[in-house]
Amino acid sequence: MSEPGEGRLMQSRLRVHGHPIQPMLVTFPFGLFVSATVFDLADLLGGPAILGLVGYWTAVAALVAAGLTVVAGLVDLWDVPGDRTRRTALTFNLVIAGVAVLFVVACLIRSGTPEHGATGALLAVELVGLALGTVGVRLGGILVRHFDPPTRDPRGLDVFGSGSVARGFGRRRGG
């Protein structure tokens, strides 16, 4: 037996040109967390000390982006029906918050050092955060199918309207 509201299409409250904002936002913190981890790995493998500093500030930027993503997720959570989709949305937001907590801990520990460099233990914490983030990306994909179902636009290449570059492609001027 299905739960109430199951299968019902949802609409995100926060949208840009008809598309939900949170799936767009979530790519920023995750990409920045990956970049911070790569910088820290390079620092630990003997790269210039500046890489540790860049990794630290990249993680800080990722935390700011994660905060915005969680806020957008909480706004969207308001309209999610109390079914499996709501549980997925809650889990998704908790996973994103969990990743942020792991990186907050790493950044707080690093903030007390002069060069903000990473250590092997902090890199391990970041790698656990990325593994958890991968679960979040999977859950986000599930939610996107509920919030933004695929549509087919019958206009084809002229989807951008009458001002489309493709519309005038191949025509000669003045004739």
Side-chain angles (χ1 to χ4, degrees), residues 25-154:
L25 288 178
V26 80
T27 60
F28 291 105
F30 194 68
L32 288 168
F33 285 138
V34 169
S35 297
T37 304
V38 169
F39 285 127
D40 290 342
L41 178 63
D43 179 35
L44 288 174
L45 291 176
I50 189 77
L51 292 177
L53 187 62
V54 171
Y56 171 78
W57 287 110
T58 303
V60 169
L63 290 171
V64 171
L68 294 172
T69 301
V70 169
V71 168
L74 291 174
V75 169
D76 284 345
L77 191 60
W78 192 267
D79 289 332
V80 176
D83 62 0
R84 182 174 39 145
T85 305
R86 184 172 189 81
R87 286 189 302 270
T88 303
L90 278 169
T91 304
F92 172 75
N93 282 297
L94 287 173
V95 165
I96 297 300
V99 172
V101 165
L102 289 171
F103 276 87
V104 162
V105 168
C107 283
L108 287 175
I109 291 170
R110 291 170 75 170
S111 69
T113 63
E115 295 178 6
H116 302 298
T119 64
L122 290 176
L123 182 66
V125 169
E126 291 176 350
L127 290 172
V128 169
L130 291 182
L132 187 58
T134 303
V135 172
V137 168
R138 173 72 179 129
L139 291 170
I142 292 168
L143 289 172
V144 165
R145 285 192 293 277
H146 286 284
F147 275 113
D148 199 24
T151 58
R152 293 194 179 259
D153 193 332

Side-chain angles (χ1 to χ4, degrees), residues 166-173:
R167 193 172 125 250
F169 186 72
R171 289 191 203 159
R172 288 186 179 172
R173 288 187 177 195

Side-chain angles (χ1 to χ4, degrees), residues 14-21 24:
L14 300 175
R15 299 177 77 80
V16 172
H17 294 288
H19 299 284
I21 289 175
M24 291 182 245

